[in-house]
Amino acid sequence: MEQYVIKGGTPLVGEVEIGGAKNAALGILAASIMTDETVLISNMPDVRDTNIMLQAMENIGVLIKRIDRHTVEINASRIHSQVIEGDYVKRIRASYYLLGALLGKYKQGTVVFPGGCAIGARPIDQHIKGFKALGADVDIAHGMVNAKASALKAAHIYMDVVTVGATINVMMASVMAEGQTIIENAAKEPHVVDVANFLNSMGANIKGAGTDVIRIKGVERLHRSEYMIIPDQIEAGTFMFAAAVTKGDITVKNVIPKHLESISAKLIEIGCEVQESDDEVRVVASKRLSHTQVKTLPYPGFPTDMQPQITVALALGQGISIVTESIFENRFKYVDELTRMGANVKVEGNTAIIDGVQKYTGAEITAPDLRAGAALVLAGLSAEGYTLIDDVKYIERGYEDFPEKLQNLGAKIARVDSERDVQKFKLRVG
Ligand code: EPZ
């Protein structure tokens, strides 16, 4: 079993290059099948989720050529099936983006119902509501979601909740529908804007992405494009918090500082120094962190995908902090693991009440999901002694070369898959 072994206590110092945004990449990959012409996508993160998406696309006949590790050429002119199935696809919820893309292009698609999720129930009712409004019949049978329309017609759709997934999916389904679709109460996340920009680069006519009203005028067809994915807001934020919890000094490079504003603001509030320039942000933490209150919210609020990382930091801060999770109902599972490392956190419903401790101590823990897993790595990096983290496969869904990037900042961390490797690591780092 793959694990990370960490010897904590070293302040992380140096520069780290941030990769392309995983959650933008997943939408963009799906959207790329909507043209029969060739699409070139760069700054593609090489992580498990994007690789599973590429595999799902290949399985229906999409030609994928890897130009280099982060650049793929995609040609979807020979798709032979509109059915996305297989256990491996269930593992990524974003496989449902292929439903919006197939429906938009072929007026029909079938995708295996996305699998269960560690962070909450994650219904897809808003996706279905949007597809139906565009004229599709949608049904769920035998674990598959089917959508089919004789013609797609523009509609005025009001999202009942702010949802990234449904906003992107309905946007894709409507780009070639007849007339002007309006999505109200749309999600404003940077990756929603990136998918819209990508679709526009293929000839779509989408206006207002990044605001809560998106207007999509249907076009006849989409065409070839070359597109570079935006930097990953959450990978960047994770390294910013790595500086905070290890009392380090990290410059995260190749970022869009605007996307990091809510994260920078909280770091400043808890006593870090944050310096922004064109495409980098430096975080310096030289004293004990202090306390604050934070509530996760849709963009531009504090991201739910940074909730475990800030909790790990606040649990080391002086005083009482409150973290409220307002997006997913089950996103505090990792707190039990953090408690094993000495944290003093009480979870009541969707709120964590945190009484900061002076330090963590290393322990054997398990990554319950992607972001919580990354946050536990940060805890291990600041802890006294050794930490062993199981189930790092979750972390690798969304962080490319995580141990290597941390090593370059001075971290003592290794990916291991046997007790012998752990012993070797201990001998090496002392
Ligand atoms: C995206 O998930 C991200 N995933 C998540 O990142 C992220 O946590 C989330 O947005 C919120 O920012 C991808 O982009 C692939 P939502 P998504 O639809 O689109 C409710 C990570 O770690 N809802 O914005 O699935 C839902 O239950 C992952 O990288 C409905 O009620 O999230 C939640 O409470 C984890 N009905 C809220 O909306 C629906 O039809 C927001 O979910 C859809 C969603």
Side-chain angles (χ1 to χ4, degrees), residues 22-24 26-27 49 93-94 96-97 117 119-129 159-168 187 189 191 232 234 297-299 303-305 326-329 331 369-372 397-399:
K22 174 199 71 127
N23 288 342
L26 292 165
D49 278 15
R93 296 193 55 83
Y96 55 42
Y97 286 148
C117 183
I119 61 175
R122 304 185 77 178
I124 59 164
D125 56 307
Q126 299 302 306
H127 303 237
I128 293 174
K129 170 176 147 169
M159 295 289 175
D160 299 324
V161 284
V162 179
T163 141
V164 171
T167 302
I168 290 179
E189 267 67 5
H191 37 295
D232 197 301
I234 306 300
L297 287 170
Y299 189 83
T304 173
D305 289 349
S326 81
I327 311 289
F328 293 113
E329 70 275 16
R331 220 171 182 178
D369 65 73
L370 165 61
R371 306 302 174 187
R397 289 180 56 173
Y399 291 86

Side-chain angles (χ1 to χ4, degrees), residues 18-32:
I18 299 307
K22 174 199 71 127
N23 288 342
L26 292 165
I28 286 172
L29 284 176
S32 73

Side-chain angles (χ1 to χ4, degrees), residues 11 240-250 267 270-273 283-289:
M240 290 165 74
F241 270 91
V245 299
T246 65
K247 293 208 179 76
D249 176 351
I250 300 179
L267 283 166
I270 60 174
C272 299
E273 199 187 317
V283 179
V284 186
S286 45
K287 53 181 196 286
R288 187 171 177 202
L289 302 173

